[in-house]
Amino acid sequence: MPSSSQAQPAASGRGVVDTDVLVVGLGPVGAALATLLGRYGLRVLAVDKATEIFAKPRAIALDNEALRILQLVGVRDGEFATVAIPQVQYHSPLFGRFARIATTGIVDGHPMLVTFYQPELEQLLRAKAAGHPTVELRLGVELEALHDDGQSVRAQLKDAAGRPCTVRARYVVGCDGANSLVRRLLGLDFEGRSFAQDWLIVDALDLQDGLDHVEFICDPRRPTPRMVAPGGRQRWEFMLHPGEDARAMEQPESVRRLLAPWCDASRIHIERTAVYRFHAREARAFAKGRCFLAGDAAHITPPFAGQGLVAGLRDVANLAWKLAWVVRGQADARILASYDAERRPHARKIIRLARFLGALVMPRNRAAAFVLHGLIRAVRVLPAGRALFDDLKIKPENTFDQGLFWRNRRHERLRAGASMPQGWVRQAGGEPRLSDDALGLHWALVGVGVDPTSRLRPDQLHRWQNAGGRVWQWCQRAQGQNLAPADQRLEALDETLLPRRVPMGWVIVVRPDRCVMAEGPVEQVQDLVDRTLGRLAPEQEPAAQPGVAVSRWSAIDAA
């Protein structure tokens, strides 16, 4: 894989540290980004003003998409503790359990929903980042200023002792949280609203009541989410009433009173109490010049959908490969504009979902609870209504409306702009593995039951490989005819693609973040490759053609 450098960021003769990417903030999003950029071979300097990981739980939920992204980052199954959640229940004082979300399934090789312990995941991600020879982590270092001159970004840093440092980076990514200094220095508004209510978070250990799911007590008198987490933990979130003093509610006697319906607080260990006010905000743009925002610096989501950290990890997967391909000279810098075009609309949809679920969890009064909870209960009588919750159809799919892909409505099976499904495969008689691991950190041209190489011109194959692409044949189990060389074959061990999703003879262009760039019958493979390479390194804007709708970042062929 081409690399910009095989060394860590280095100081120039003038005492300026040169690096490919400066990552500001080393929470889970910043650490995941630094790790993935390190996997791509980029020089990365990642800084955080704190000297230690915050040793108390904060984020608590991850879904199958987040776990798949962590797999891409290099986190192996079992490297941090999780608890699979079989269901999420919603309880009303008027109707009892009025809704549930079934989360027992496996999607793309991962559980649909798990809880985890954030300090453990952060420690793991930082260790993985530090293990890459091109990545340097600096703690106790604070950003003070940024200047983007169009060719690079100069950042002024200061360490805990007050010593200044100048960094020259090709790109800067702010992963520095909801109060992001990077965002403020870029002059990007943080649009949205804050909830009027304060919430008391109580994390406890040593409970023995056997809770195995997440439940929301949607009582207007005191809405209370409750969930199980690894290490014998449970979390409660209590909405505080107007006039209740936050400090007083964190006192042991107040906590004991609030926990009384579930347990004797004197018999358990209270690990943390904290008062938060939830927010629903997004930056006006996720990028400006050579600077980008990711995670809470770009968007903050109320916790009712469990998507806060998940959304930040989606940012990581989307942005990292684009920076890598541009820095390594394998793609034009114009592809970076697709980060905002792809991520910001989806982040907004997730915020809307969280606000809707928040309305269910905290109705203003009993009358509102009667209307809202009664309506949801009535809707669930119908199969389509029940599927909205039970089958999680209410959650927006991670499918882009516009971006670095194109669709041909005449040839649509997987839907370009969506993620390619992940299944179990085997290579050349080896052990079963998840297909993302087999595809690696590359572009992939995947022929389903066919070998795309046989249809490509030699110059196309050479250009595809130089652009960081590989060619694969996704074979039917025990397929014996029309086979590619053994090192290019992925033998399907389930029905992820064949025959449920695509027919034999189908070709899929897959980006490094596993987004489908384009798809079609193998007879179109030359056009698919040429158009993909043209979007990576375009020499000119595509001309409008009759019957074809073209935008700056996506083209959708008319049916």
Side-chain angles (χ1 to χ4, degrees), residues 248-443:
M249 295 303 291
E250 288 189 79
Q251 296 304 307
E253 59 273 15
S254 297
V255 172
R256 187 160 45 248
R257 175 173 52 83
L258 290 170
L259 292 180
W262 292 275
C263 64
D264 181 353
S266 64
R267 296 178 177 272
I268 63 174
H269 173 65
I270 303 300
E271 185 175 28
R272 179 186 75 138
T273 62
V275 173
Y276 288 106
R277 180 164 293 190
F278 301 142
H279 308 274
R281 295 182 180 275
E282 64 173 272
R284 179 167 47 85
F286 288 6
K288 185 176 181 180
R290 289 177 167 264
C291 300
F292 301 84
L293 302 173
D296 285 357
H299 44 76
I300 47 177
T301 306
F304 306 111
Q307 289 286 300
L309 177 53
V310 177
L313 291 173
R314 292 191 189 104
D315 298 340
V316 168
N318 191 288
L319 180 60
W321 78 266
K322 294 172 183 175
L323 289 172
W325 257 252
V326 170
V327 169
R328 296 185 332 209
Q330 293 173 294
D332 190 280
R334 281 180 285 183
I335 73 168
L336 295 172
S338 66
Y339 170 63
D340 180 82
E342 292 175 350
R343 283 296 306 131
R344 190 154 55 94
H346 186 263
R348 187 179 305 126
K349 292 177 183 177
I350 293 296
I351 291 172
R352 288 173 183 161
L353 170 65
R355 291 182 63 178
F356 169 73
L357 294 176
L360 295 183
V361 173
M362 50 180 191
R364 295 186 305 274
N365 49 53
R366 288 179 67 85
F370 180 83
V371 173
L372 286 170
H373 300 163
L375 178 62
I376 297 300
R377 188 183 186 189
V379 166
R380 290 184 69 247
V381 173
L382 302 173
R386 190 161 53 249
L388 279 174
F389 276 85
D390 292 38
D391 300 335
L392 209 56
K393 301 297 185 185
I394 194 173
K395 176 184 172 185
E397 294 184 359
N398 189 22
T399 301
F400 306 133
D401 299 320
Q402 60 176 346
L404 190 61
F405 62 91
W406 77 92
R407 295 180 185 133
N408 184 329
R409 294 193 180 99
R410 294 185 297 270
H411 301 292
E412 187 170 283
R413 299 293 188 275
L414 297 178
R415 191 165 181 79
S419 296
M420 170 149 167
Q422 176 171 222
W424 287 94
V425 298
R426 181 165 51 203
Q427 290 177 271
E431 294 296 318
R433 62 194 308 205
L434 288 168
S435 55
D436 284 2
D437 294 335
L439 296 178
L441 301 173
H442 311 278
W443 281 82

Side-chain angles (χ1 to χ4, degrees), residues 449-491:
V450 294
D451 176 14
T453 307
S454 63
R455 303 290 187 111
L456 295 177
R457 302 187 308 270
D459 67 295
Q460 279 184 311
L461 181 60
H462 179 70
R463 289 168 57 218
W464 178 250
Q465 292 170 337
N466 282 347
R470 293 190 177 181
V471 183
W472 299 94
Q473 182 180 13
W474 191 288
C475 299
Q476 181 182 7
R477 184 77 182 269
Q479 181 174 331
Q481 303 295 327
N482 306 312
L483 294 176
D487 62 352
Q488 295 179 4
R489 296 200 300 262
L490 302 176
E491 182 185 20

